[in-house]
Amino acid sequence: MKRVGTCPICNKGELLEFEDKFQCNFVENNKKLCNFFIYKSYSKKIITPEMLFDLLHNYETKIYSDFVDDKGEKFEAALKIVHGYINYKFRNQIVDNVKCVNCDGEILRTKQGWGCENYFNRKCGMFIYRSYNGTVMTEDIVRLLVTGNYTPFLNFTSKQGINFQAKLFVNDSTFQVQFDYSLGDCPKCSGTVLKMEKFFGCTNYLSDIKCDFIIWLSIFDYNLSFIDVEVLLRGDQTDVKSFRWKDKDFEGRLSLDENFKCKVS
Ligand SMILES: [Zn+2]
Ligand SMILES: [Zn+2]
Ligand SMILES: [Zn+2]
């Protein structure tokens, strides 16, 4: 029997060529210790020496366009070893123009969400579920998350039915998708600004610094959005907003003055 290479799963056995497959021969004390095999063809495509080489050395082949499905239609796919078995990796599963920040792997669409290709062989923890707290993820959001960025503020509903806004990010050590409520850095003390019950305030309010920076939730009947507050904290001016003071309507832009108070101009 022809030996075709070292088994990529147990790294001890040799793959031997049989009539219909290449099979690992790793046995010890007459017990078969590795079941890895590669069929000689998948969906009517015959495994070439190049495909075999790629599977044994890179765990996956290039994408080929001459697989044929049960209905006789051609489809594009690569073959890939997942959990010790050969799987198809379909071209339309790959999210375009993005790679995993952790391992540079492709990001794949699945039923449950989006996962780094190396998530499926347990070498990378990157996985984004279809939804979080009732909010469905889009691929634009997924692109931000898997590249280590924060999303914009999104609307969520807590288990108790309360609506809240937060940014999402992927924790880079646990790969958990987490909420972040910070609106930006305090211009007075560089603390974190959060939405409090009655105003946007600095978390150092309670520390020794006793920072008193606040932005009220509304000014001249205009309710500030989280994006407005982010703009202000960056030191920028908002776009034009409509205000009302003593039954008079007027327009203006919001910014922070030299004393870090919110003003309209
Ligand atoms: Zn083996
Ligand atoms: Zn990855
Ligand atoms: Zn502060």
Side-chain angles (χ1 to χ4, degrees):
M1 259 168 296
K2 203 172 131 205
R3 289 162 192 260
V4 296
T6 305
C7 172
I9 300 302
C10 66
N11 285 309
K12 294 191 172 115
E14 294 276 344
L15 286 196
L16 302 181
E17 181 170 359
F18 292 86
E19 197 182 336
D20 61 336
K21 62 187 160 196
F22 307 99
Q23 168 100 47
C24 177
N25 70 349
F26 184 41
V27 275
E28 232 168 48
N29 307 324
N30 284 325
K31 258 180 81 181
K32 199 160 182 342
L33 291 179
C34 179
N35 285 315
F36 182 68
F37 65 87
I38 301 171
Y39 282 123
K40 283 189 166 173
S41 80
Y42 288 85
S43 297
K44 307 231 163 81
K45 177 161 181 64
I46 293 177
I47 298 287
T48 62
E50 187 193 7
M51 291 170 81
L52 196 58
F53 181 92
D54 283 343
L55 284 170
L56 298 192
H57 295 89
N58 309 322
Y59 300 93
E60 72 176 275
T61 68
K62 298 187 183 71
I63 291 176
Y64 294 91
S65 52
D66 53 349
F67 291 97
V68 180
D69 69 16
D70 294 343
K71 292 172 191 145
E73 305 216 353
K74 284 190 175 181
F75 65 93
E76 278 188 319
L79 294 179
K80 187 173 169 66
I81 302 173
V82 181
H83 297 321
Y85 293 95
I86 303 291
N87 265 355
Y88 296 99
K89 184 169 120 183
F90 298 104
R91 166 159 259 174
N92 65 6
Q93 282 183 318
I94 301 171
V95 180
D96 289 336
N97 301 323
V98 67
K99 291 271 166 68
C100 171
V101 66
N102 181 47
C103 74
D104 212 33
E106 305 271 14
I107 302 300
L108 305 181
R109 300 180 185 106
T110 74
K111 263 192 184 143
Q112 290 79 28
W114 293 264
C116 171
E117 60 178 331
N118 292 317
Y119 174 83
F120 303 99
N121 56 31
R122 297 177 195 170
K123 288 185 180 141
C124 179
M126 188 68 79
F127 193 92
I128 313 294
Y129 284 99
R130 285 246 155 248
S131 72
Y132 291 90
N133 282 62
T135 298
V136 175
M137 300 292 102
T138 66
E139 284 196 353
D140 285 339
I141 293 174
V142 170
R143 281 198 180 85
L144 289 171
L145 290 173
V146 300
T147 50
N149 290 297
Y150 286 72
T151 69
F153 273 96
L154 304 169
N155 295 307
F156 297 97
T157 308
S158 74
K159 287 196 185 89
Q160 291 76 30
I162 295 164
N163 295 325
F164 64 97
Q165 290 186 300
K167 297 179 273 193
L168 292 178
F169 69 101
V170 175
N171 181 307
D172 61 10
S173 55
T174 64
F175 294 102
Q176 288 231 330
V177 174
Q178 296 182 333
F179 295 113
D180 181 84
Y181 304 95
S182 75
L183 290 151
D185 292 340
C186 171
K188 268 192 170 173
C189 76
S190 301
T192 300
V193 175
L194 297 179
K195 179 175 180 292
M196 314 282 184
E197 203 180 330
K198 295 192 167 114
F199 51 81
F200 302 100
C202 177
T203 46
N204 281 333
Y205 176 69
L206 295 172
S207 78
D208 291 344
I209 302 174
K210 289 211 172 20
C211 179
D212 61 358
F213 174 77
I214 68 165
I215 298 173
W216 295 104
L217 298 184
S218 77
I219 176 167
F220 297 123
D221 271 0
Y222 173 77
N223 293 321
L224 277 79
S225 72
F226 281 31
I227 292 169
D228 294 335
V229 177
E230 286 183 302
V231 168
L232 295 176
L233 294 177
R234 281 201 301 266
D236 293 335
Q237 217 177 30
T238 67
D239 45 15
V240 176
K241 311 288 183 193
S242 298
F243 303 95
R244 170 169 274 247
W245 172 244
K246 292 187 175 167
D247 290 336
K248 273 197 187 133
D249 293 325
F250 63 100
E251 293 194 325
R253 295 168 188 272
L254 293 170
S255 60
L256 296 182
D257 68 15
E258 61 281 3
N259 298 315
F260 309 114
K261 299 271 184 249
C262 190
K263 65 165 185 190
V264 180
S265 50

